[in-house]
Amino acid sequence: MQSVDRAVSVLEILARDGEAGVSEIATELDVHKSTAFRLLGVLEHRGLVAQAKDRGKYYLGAGVLRLAGAVAVRLDISQEGVPVCREVADELGETVNLAVLDEDAAVNIMQARGTASVAAQNWLGRRTPLHATSSGKVLLAHQPPTARDGLLGRPLHRFTEHTVTDAGTLRTELAAVAERGYGVTVEELEPGLAAVAAPVRSHDGEVIAAISVSGPVYRLTPERLAEVSRRMVAAGTELSRRMGYGF
């Protein structure tokens, strides 16, 4: 923990001062120069700091921008998603979520509840499985093939009798999800629960999130799912536009 704390302190020093040498960092951290040098070496290896060879000074690296950019995207899409999710929830009366990919799970970062979903559980902040949720299938369908194959190469947990656990069957379904523009699950995560999700794209066309609606199967019947799917595709398109896609 002490090493982690010191590494974070190094980043904070460089953020404050712009650049600093090993001796300056060692003095501020009250550690030996060799300790400061090792910390900088690890951070440099991960791209979080870089060294100006002509001056021997260190500064924040491009890796910090990558991390900050990921946070910015989440904050931006969370803010832009509020009116879209609220409108769909009010219109359909069901729970609407906005989810992003977090390694091997879909994490819900925004939620709006409709009038019919007052007793629904809270999905906000929950990590949900990619293979058993509509949002997860949308996010998984738009991953690079190598990343998708890596995730599908692991054992797929069965949550209900309807959960798809065969990798080949899931690959076929994911191809259909990508082609038609939305994903559907019916009682694959929980008995009695159905959901539909559509992709949300950033300005460059990359799928960065999935917007979904979920509710009980007695309300989200097969007939209604067709109608709801069209509405979710429209919602995904609207939120993508808000994120700069299509301009």
Side-chain angles (χ1 to χ4, degrees):
M1 289 299 294
Q2 188 179 47
S3 295
V4 173
D5 183 68
R6 286 172 173 170
V8 172
S9 295
V10 170
L11 297 176
E12 290 176 338
I13 291 168
L14 296 180
R16 182 193 68 205
D17 298 342
E19 61 179 23
V22 176
S23 297
E24 299 167 75
I25 291 172
T27 298
E28 185 149 351
L29 294 180
D30 193 24
V31 298
H32 194 274
K33 281 181 63 176
S34 61
T35 300
F37 187 76
R38 284 196 300 272
L39 286 170
L40 287 163
V42 171
L43 293 171
E44 185 175 20
H45 178 69
R46 300 303 294 268
L48 297 175
V49 304
Q51 185 179 25
K53 302 301 181 183
D54 56 333
R55 301 190 305 279
K57 301 276 190 176
Y58 288 85
Y59 57 90
L60 292 178
V64 174
L65 296 176
R66 183 183 68 251
L67 296 176
V71 173
V73 166
R74 288 195 178 195
L75 290 175
D76 288 346
I77 196 169
S78 178
Q79 293 168 357
E80 294 295 338
V82 170
V84 178
C85 291
R86 184 70 268 159
E87 180 181 355
V88 177
D90 288 344
E91 181 181 328
L92 300 179
E94 306 292 353
T95 300
V96 177
N97 281 286
L98 189 61
V100 296
L101 185 69
D102 185 16
E103 297 182 345
D104 60 348
V107 177
N108 294 299
I109 61 172
M110 196 268 153
Q111 178 176 273
R113 292 186 179 182
T115 54
S117 60
V118 289
Q121 60 181 297
N122 184 13
W123 295 95
L124 192 60
R126 278 186 57 179
R127 289 172 56 85
T128 57
L130 297 175
H131 70 288
T133 59
S134 60
S135 290
K137 288 184 180 183
V138 165
L139 295 170
L140 196 52
H142 291 89
Q143 283 297 291
T146 52
R148 184 168 57 247
D149 288 344
L151 289 165
L152 294 180
R154 307 173 187 176
L156 301 175
H157 181 73
R158 181 176 295 280
F159 295 92
T160 75
E161 62 178 327
H162 300 289
T163 307
V164 180
T165 58
D166 178 72
T169 302
L170 193 54
R171 283 191 179 91
T172 300
E173 183 179 349
L174 294 176
V177 169
E179 182 176 353
R180 71 191 179 207
Y182 63 89
V184 179
T185 54
V186 179
E187 299 190 286
E188 294 183 39
L189 180 63
E190 295 181 2
L193 181 70
V196 181
V200 178
R201 300 178 184 273
S202 63
H203 67 280
D204 59 1
E206 179 185 357
V207 173
I208 54 174
I211 183 169
S212 69
V213 62
S214 59
V217 292
Y218 65 82
R219 285 203 301 265
L220 293 181
T221 60
E223 295 77 20
R224 192 174 181 223
L225 281 175
E227 170 197 341
V228 169
S229 297
R230 290 191 291 271
R231 182 63 184 90
M232 296 315 296
V233 169
T237 300
E238 169 60 17
L239 186 47
S240 297
R241 186 192 65 77
R242 287 173 173 265
M243 296 302 295
Y245 181 63
F247 287 94

